[in-house]
Amino acid sequence: MRNKKYYTVSYLINAAMVLLLFLLLMGANASGMLGRYQRGIIITIFINIILAVSLNLTTGFLGQIALGHAGFMSIGAYTAALFVKYMQDTVGLELIIKSKVTPMGTLMFLLSLLLGGCVAALFGLLVGIPALRLKGDYLAIITLGFGEIIRSIIENLKFTGGAQGLKKIPKLAQLDTSYFVMIVCVVVMFMFVRSRHGRSIIAIREDDIASEACGIHNTYYKVMAFTVAAFFAGIAGGIYAQYLAILGAADFDFMKSIDILVMVVLGGMGSITGSILAAIGLTALPELLRSFSDYRMLLYSVVLIIVMIFKPSGLLGTYEFSLTRLLERLTGKRKQQTAKGGAK
């Protein structure tokens, strides 16, 4: 039986690893090892991690296939972009001075992400209430239709820039702030999955009839998971908008939703660490294969097919990687605990 001390040590180890990765990242950036291109790939990885983990709440832990995740991302992206543009152009706040983000710019960046997430969550609630009464293919078709409707609406609104896109968005997404936003999002989603609400959602995935019989309000928890996933997709969209500084509705088409779903399936439906690994791999792999431009997409596709054939449950399935367990195995403490348990 794991006691309170075990979990305290586990939290401290994970916090130390997060801090170490941040220091390594900032050190590499300060030394000039990371150019603009490399920083762009890393920020894209952060965005895709948030998207993959958030979709895993719906597809992996809830067990409902959703194909409109890019729609929620687009809502968050345009909401955050319009907010910071308004603050800079209308209110006159100095968000960027000489290509450097001001403290006010960082504050507006965080507020815009929160606003984008809330608006996306509102749309997730409105779509989820009627849609989640359906299952399987029907739910996938409805969410797919929602994503395409949102894209079409964005293309025909003047204040979003229409088909020409939204331009001159303040570029507030920096490497350090994006890193910590990603960490906070993943931690919150991990805590949500491990909470009472998360266990109820997993119970619905395993057997929705039995969960209803046990007193779990299936529709309520389905909508909750869908809304939470939409919230974090909106945050990812806000980072995306303020990194690229230009948005177009075509960036959030059906294929974008498929790309996010592939990350979830490849990493393992029901594994947060699997989604993180898949997001890193599927973002970095096309860039690593760029030197093989003629065969890049072929090699990328072959890698995906091989993984799906030999590991259909994904890289990790429902398994969660634990740094604490790894250290216990390396130090031999795991074997000692197993031996003690067997002796009892």
Side-chain angles (χ1 to χ4, degrees):
M1 189 73 180
R2 292 170 179 173
N3 53 24
K4 186 176 180 180
K5 182 180 178 182
Y6 174 86
Y7 289 106
T8 302
V9 172
S10 179
Y11 295 148
L12 291 174
I13 291 173
N14 290 322
M17 181 55 65
V18 167
L19 183 60
L20 178 62
L21 288 175
F22 174 74
L23 293 175
L24 290 173
L25 198 61
M26 292 300 102
N29 187 40
S31 64
M33 292 176 62
L34 298 179
R36 183 178 179 182
Y37 175 69
Q38 287 79 13
R39 286 196 299 271
I41 294 175
I42 293 173
I43 292 176
T44 305
I45 287 173
F46 296 160
I47 294 169
N48 286 339
I49 286 175
I50 299 173
L51 288 170
V53 176
S54 61
L55 182 59
N56 209 347
L57 295 179
T58 304
T59 302
F61 293 99
L62 183 60
Q64 305 292 320
I65 300 298
L67 297 177
H69 214 55
F72 299 121
M73 181 187 178
S74 66
I75 292 171
Y78 276 92
T79 301
L82 290 170
F83 174 76
V84 295
K85 275 180 68 67
Y86 174 81
M87 286 298 175
Q88 177 173 267
D89 301 338
T90 307
V91 180
L93 295 177
E94 292 183 339
L95 304 181
I96 300 176
I97 298 178
K98 296 181 180 179
S99 300
K100 291 187 178 181
V101 179
T102 65
M104 180 59 70
T106 301
L107 177 61
M108 290 300 105
F109 173 68
L110 297 176
L111 287 176
S112 70
L113 296 186
L114 185 60
L115 181 62
C118 289
V119 175
L122 177 61
F123 277 86
L125 180 64
L126 295 175
V127 174
I129 290 174
L132 288 167
R133 296 181 183 276
L134 303 173
K135 299 178 183 178
D137 299 339
Y138 301 104
L139 176 63
I141 292 169
I142 285 181
T143 53
L144 171 61
F146 161 75
E148 291 303 302
I149 289 171
I150 289 295
R151 186 175 64 82
S152 299
I153 291 174
I154 290 173
E155 284 184 336
N156 290 280
L157 291 176
K158 289 185 178 180
F159 66 88
T160 61
Q164 292 183 346
L166 190 63
K167 302 175 182 178
K168 296 182 180 180
I169 304 168
K171 201 168 184 178
L172 303 178
Q174 301 296 304
L175 197 61
D176 51 354
T177 50
S178 300
Y179 175 80
F180 279 113
V181 168
M182 181 271 294
I183 292 295
V184 170
C185 289
V186 171
V187 169
V188 171
M189 284 186 276
F190 181 81
M191 293 172 65
F192 175 75
V193 169
R194 292 300 179 95
S195 69
R196 176 172 60 88
H197 304 299
R199 290 195 294 271
S200 298
I201 289 168
I202 294 172
I204 294 171
R205 178 193 67 188
E206 297 300 325
D207 194 324
D208 56 349
I209 297 175
S211 63
E212 189 83 52
C214 292
I216 296 174
H217 196 318
N218 284 5
T219 303
Y220 171 79
Y221 281 108
K222 284 181 179 180
V223 173
M224 176 188 286
F226 201 73
T227 304
V228 172
F231 173 79
F232 287 106
I235 290 179
I239 300 173
Y240 179 84
Q242 295 172 79
Y243 162 65
L244 284 184
I246 182 171
L247 285 177
D251 297 338
F252 309 101
D253 60 0
F254 166 65
M255 289 308 301
K256 182 63 178 178
S257 295
I258 294 297
D259 288 342
I260 303 168
L261 182 62
V262 167
M263 293 177 191
V264 175
V265 175
L266 181 64
M269 293 194 292
S271 173
I272 290 178
T273 47
S275 294
I276 294 171
L277 291 175
I280 295 171
L282 293 183
T283 306
L285 186 60
E287 303 302 327
L288 294 174
L289 296 175
R290 192 168 290 276
S291 56
F292 305 95
S293 56
D294 295 336
Y295 308 99
R296 182 165 62 99
M297 295 312 297
L298 175 62
L299 293 172
Y300 177 71
S301 303
V302 168
V303 170
L304 290 178
I305 292 171
I306 291 173
V307 172
M308 287 294 97
I309 290 175
F310 293 100
K311 190 68 174 175
S313 61
L315 294 174
L316 295 184
T318 58
Y319 177 80
E320 294 289 358
F321 172 78
S322 172
L323 188 60
T324 308
R325 286 200 301 264
L326 177 62
L327 291 175
E328 284 180 348
R329 286 194 179 96
L330 293 176
T331 57
K333 289 184 179 180
R334 191 79 174 177
K335 293 181 180 179
Q336 294 175 7
Q337 291 175 357
T338 306
K340 289 180 181 179
K344 291 179 181 180

